[in-house]
Amino acid sequence: GAGVSQTPSNKVTEKGKYVELRCDPISGHTALYWYRQSLGQGPEFLIYFQGTGAADDSGLPNDRFFAVRPEGSVSTLKIQRTERGDSAVYLCASSPGGVGNTIYFGEGSWLTVV
Amino acid sequence: SQQGEEDPQALSIQEGENATMNCSYKTSINNLQWYRQNSGRGLVHLILIRSNEREKHSGRLRVTLDTSKKSSSLLITASRAADTASYFCATDGTGGFKTIFGAGTRLFVKA
């Protein structure tokens, strides 16, 4: 597609439920990033993929968070046993890969845990 | 944790004035980028400056980088009401590909 696509754009879920957020990067981009952004804050790094592998997952807050990119394109961020503190905008971004490439962001998935 | 720190946190100016935002970072970098965000969604890339560059221009934007002070500034000249947004700096550390964002400057341009 023309840009990074994220679905759903909004998700309301109950505390304790499981959530999946999907990211469709720009075609041909090998690098894919997930960020989380709370109100009034900058994007917080979660995980970075180069191809199919997670090159850096140091930003995942705990083991309830997991992300996959099985074919090196679409990625899914999975959150188990959601908590109210997980409420945020989850941003996905992609780039052609390598140092110094511009990162292109999707519009984000707004997650609200009630 | 966040690598970059922008200041001021918020800036309110009149249309036509220049807006200057600063960013400081902690570790050595390969590149520094500035992004803009409207209404808390979708960041838009504005400009990238490499560690061996000192200044870069793009339209009404001027970015400077001082690696000795670990700081950068974004200048928007002749601001417009449509420039109202949050502006973030982001850095690529020399140790890898991870791009880290600061907390942002909220710019409000009054018409």
Side-chain angles (χ1 to χ4, degrees):
Chain A
V4 178
S5 175
Q6 290 188 245
T7 55
S9 56
N10 289 283
K11 173 74 176 177
V12 179
T13 191
E14 292 181 347
K15 180 175 177 294
K17 298 289 189 184
Y18 169 80
V19 166
E20 287 190 354
L21 306 175
R22 176 188 166 108
C23 174
D24 213 326
I26 294 172
S27 178
H29 280 191
T30 58
L32 185 145
Y33 303 77
W34 283 100
Y35 288 83
R36 177 170 72 173
Q37 187 176 25
S38 300
L39 198 61
Q41 301 296 316
E44 174 191 13
F45 171 81
L46 296 178
I47 187 168
Y48 159 73
F49 287 91
Q50 183 62 250
T52 60
D56 188 338
D57 64 358
S58 62
L60 294 177
N62 52 59
D63 61 6
R64 295 187 298 105
F65 289 75
F66 190 69
V68 296
R69 196 186 185 199
E71 297 176 358
S73 179
V74 170
S75 175
T76 304
L77 178 65
K78 308 181 181 193
I79 310 174
Q80 298 178 320
R81 304 183 304 280
T82 52
E83 299 177 356
R84 293 196 178 88
D86 298 335
S87 296
V89 177
Y90 289 82
L91 295 164
C92 178
S94 70
S95 80
V99 176
N101 282 281
T102 298
I103 298 174
Y104 298 89
F105 280 82
E107 289 297 304
S109 292
W110 196 299
L111 175 66
T112 303
V113 182
V114 297
Chain B
S1 62
Q2 293 181 316
Q3 152 89 305
E5 296 286 338
E6 287 94 336
D7 85 274
Q9 290 185 328
L11 180 61
S12 182
I13 59 173
Q14 289 291 140
E15 205 166 31
E17 293 179 339
N18 295 342
T20 299
M21 290 160 270
N22 303 296
C23 167
S24 59
Y25 55 92
K26 298 172 185 171
T27 62
S28 296
I29 62 170
N30 286 316
N31 310 281
L32 186 142
Q33 303 183 56
W34 284 90
Y35 286 81
R36 167 198 166 117
Q37 185 179 43
N38 288 18
S39 305
R41 307 291 287 262
L43 287 90
V44 175
H45 180 260
L46 296 176
I47 197 163
L48 179 151
I49 186 165
R50 303 191 188 282
S51 59
N52 62 355
E53 297 176 311
R54 292 296 165 258
E55 188 170 313
K56 210 160 181 182
H57 297 254
S58 177
R60 293 185 296 113
L61 306 180
R62 174 178 166 252
V63 168
T64 62
L65 178 64
D66 186 336
T67 53
S68 67
K69 295 181 180 177
K70 292 187 169 60
S71 68
S72 174
S73 67
L74 170 66
L75 168 68
I76 304 174
T77 60
S79 63
R80 305 166 182 167
D83 294 330
T84 295
S86 291
Y87 292 82
F88 297 91
C89 70
T91 53
D92 295 319
T94 54
F97 300 105
K98 186 163 65 180
T99 298
I100 303 296
F101 285 78
T105 292
R106 280 133 199 91
L107 173 66
F108 181 64
V109 182
K110 292 176 280 188

